[in-house]
Amino acid sequence: MSNTYGNWLRQQREAAGLTQQQLADLALMTRSHIAHIEAGRRMPSLQDARRLDAVLNTGDVLSTFLPGEEPPVAEYFEAVRVLEQQAVIIREFALSYVPGILQTERYARAVLTPEYPRVSKEKRDRNVVTRLERAKVLDDPVTPAVWALLDEAVLRRHIGGPDVMAEQVEHLIRLAESGRVRLHVVPFAGGGHPLLTNMLTLLWFADQPPVAYGEGMFMSRLHDIPSVVQVLKHRYDCVLGNALPFRETLALLKATAKDYARHD
């Protein structure tokens, strides 16, 4: 992102007599996010830019003159992508696919290659790169702490073929055995559970209240109302309580990977 945008934001903030923290509070953002935008290291989402315009009384300047590159993710996910990079704890529940930050390149490519409508190879490649960039949150060996609850359907659904699935499950095993990610599988044998209708991500931060994100087909919702986040956390905890213990989950993953490798 050109720093012209960030410099202009800083000038408007200072003209309004606001500190970065004050602007962040008014625009429902974090101080670190404001600092990154002003330094030219990050581009705000359209939603963030509109809130900044409203707080700074700049009309629609910040939302209209965002750097004109194609957004790396769907607009409805942009705010979550930014928050994901700032989180100190991430808890995922996956119903159909391996969570994005845990996907291998070939698995991500299979997920992001829709049968209809078709997309260009260039756009598909950009989507894959963005998905893999998100996974870099795991490069830090400590933060964020990541827990992932996987419905058994995630392991049983063949995405990209047996060899892609074998590679993906082996990647999950490495993450689990290294201690970088805590994994638990919710078995079919457990029947229904409170998260059976959609995927869920819970995010905690060092400098702001937790949020929850739920997503379905072309629909999503970012929840920041404390009472709603608490209800969703309770549902997550309930499902976690019915999931396989860590060692049994690891044994299931290894058996599943071996099964896929046998059918390569």
Side-chain angles (χ1 to χ4, degrees):
M1 181 179 81
S2 169
N3 205 32
T4 301
Y5 187 95
N7 285 337
W8 196 83
L9 171 60
R10 177 178 52 77
Q11 291 166 10
Q12 301 310 305
R13 173 179 62 77
E14 292 175 348
L18 299 173
T19 65
Q20 288 181 341
Q21 186 61 63
Q22 287 169 333
L23 177 58
D25 291 342
L26 292 169
L28 305 179
M29 299 167 66
T30 65
R31 188 209 60 77
S32 60
H33 191 188
I34 297 294
H36 284 314
I37 296 169
E38 291 186 356
R41 293 189 296 267
R42 187 172 291 167
M43 182 171 64
S45 67
L46 181 58
Q47 183 181 21
D48 287 339
R50 285 171 176 164
R51 287 200 297 265
L52 289 168
D53 272 329
V55 171
L56 295 170
N57 294 315
T58 49
D60 60 358
V61 175
L62 288 165
S63 53
T64 299
F65 292 98
L66 279 168
E69 60 186 55
E70 184 177 353
V73 293
E75 182 180 329
Y76 62 79
F77 188 73
E78 173 60 18
V80 183
R81 184 180 72 90
V82 172
L83 292 171
E84 190 176 64
Q85 303 301 310
Q86 301 169 351
V88 295
I89 300 174
I90 299 176
R91 290 196 175 190
E92 298 270 14
F93 168 72
L95 184 62
S96 301
Y97 298 114
V98 171
I101 61 174
L102 307 183
Q103 291 180 7
T104 64
E105 179 175 354
R106 291 204 299 162
Y107 184 94
R109 191 172 295 279
V111 170
L112 295 168
T113 304
E115 293 297 326
Y116 180 84
R118 302 293 294 174
V119 298
S120 69
K121 180 180 182 300
E122 292 74 17
K123 180 173 175 56
R124 184 171 67 247
D125 289 345
R126 286 197 300 271
N127 291 341
V128 171
V129 168
T130 299
R131 180 67 54 87
L132 298 179
E133 284 291 318
R134 287 176 52 209
K136 288 184 177 179
V137 297
L138 298 178
D139 287 351
D140 185 308
V142 177
T143 305
V146 177
W147 289 59
L149 267 176
L150 308 179
D151 192 279
E152 189 174 345
V154 173
L155 302 180
R156 303 306 181 193
R157 190 179 306 281
H158 292 210
I159 303 295
D163 59 327
V164 172
M165 287 300 299
E167 179 184 63
Q168 175 63 71
V169 177
E170 286 164 2
H171 178 60
L172 294 175
I173 293 169
R174 286 192 295 272
L175 289 171
E177 289 186 326
S178 71
R180 185 63 188 86
V181 175
R182 186 77 177 183
L183 281 169
H184 293 276
V185 170
V186 186
F188 286 146
H193 58 73
L195 295 179
L196 200 53
T197 55
N198 60 280
M199 58 78 70
L200 175 68
T201 300
L202 297 167
L203 301 165
W204 283 264
F205 309 91
D207 57 356
Q208 64 177 314
V211 300
Y213 174 73
E215 183 179 309
M217 184 177 293
F218 298 111
M219 295 182 294
S220 69
R221 182 72 181 270
L222 183 63
H223 302 278
D224 57 7
I225 299 172
S227 60
V228 175
V229 175
Q230 189 66 19
V231 167
L232 293 172
K233 179 184 178 298
H234 284 162
R235 291 191 176 193
Y236 186 100
D237 290 343
C238 179
V239 178
L240 177 60
N242 292 325
L244 294 177
F246 178 72
R247 292 187 182 279
E248 290 182 30
T249 289
L250 201 53
L252 176 59
L253 290 172
K254 290 180 177 179
T256 302
K258 186 179 296 185
D259 219 31
Y260 279 123
R262 190 181 300 124
H263 291 89
D264 279 0

